[in-house]
Amino acid sequence: MKVLDQQYSANSLTLRLSALGGSQQTILLRVNDTRAKPKVEGAQIQQTGNPSLRPVQIDFGAGEGYVEKTVKFTW
């Protein structure tokens, strides 16, 4: 997986990612304040026993070679 672009603003982060078409990638989301309620568009936050380190699953659509996906985190 490649990070092609990132945009940061108050309480949000938008990533433009690229990975092989049809693949599933996982990144880890660090939550410093366990009272925070992070949300994500374009991926799914997985619930685990560790509230400060959460896996985020990103599904890249079908396609030949690399395909792009935008994922937006807000808190």
Side-chain angles (χ1 to χ4, degrees):
M1 181 170 59
K2 301 175 185 179
V3 177
L4 302 176
D5 188 38
Q6 64 182 17
Q7 299 292 320
Y8 178 78
S9 64
N11 299 324
S12 74
L13 171 67
T14 302
L15 300 174
R16 190 166 56 98
L17 306 170
S18 179
L20 288 175
S23 69
Q24 205 173 63
Q25 305 293 323
T26 302
I27 61 175
L28 294 175
L29 173 64
R30 161 97 38 216
V31 180
N32 293 327
D33 182 354
T34 56
R35 294 172 294 161
K37 303 289 185 219
K39 296 182 178 85
V40 65
E41 296 174 26
Q44 296 81 35
I45 298 176
Q46 307 297 309
Q47 299 303 318
T48 63
N50 185 348
S52 64
L53 193 61
R54 302 175 191 173
V56 176
Q57 182 178 316
I58 306 163
D59 295 318
F60 287 85
E64 287 192 33
Y66 280 84
V67 295
E68 293 184 16
K69 178 113 184 209
T70 299
V71 178
K72 182 176 183 176
F73 297 91
T74 55
W75 59 91

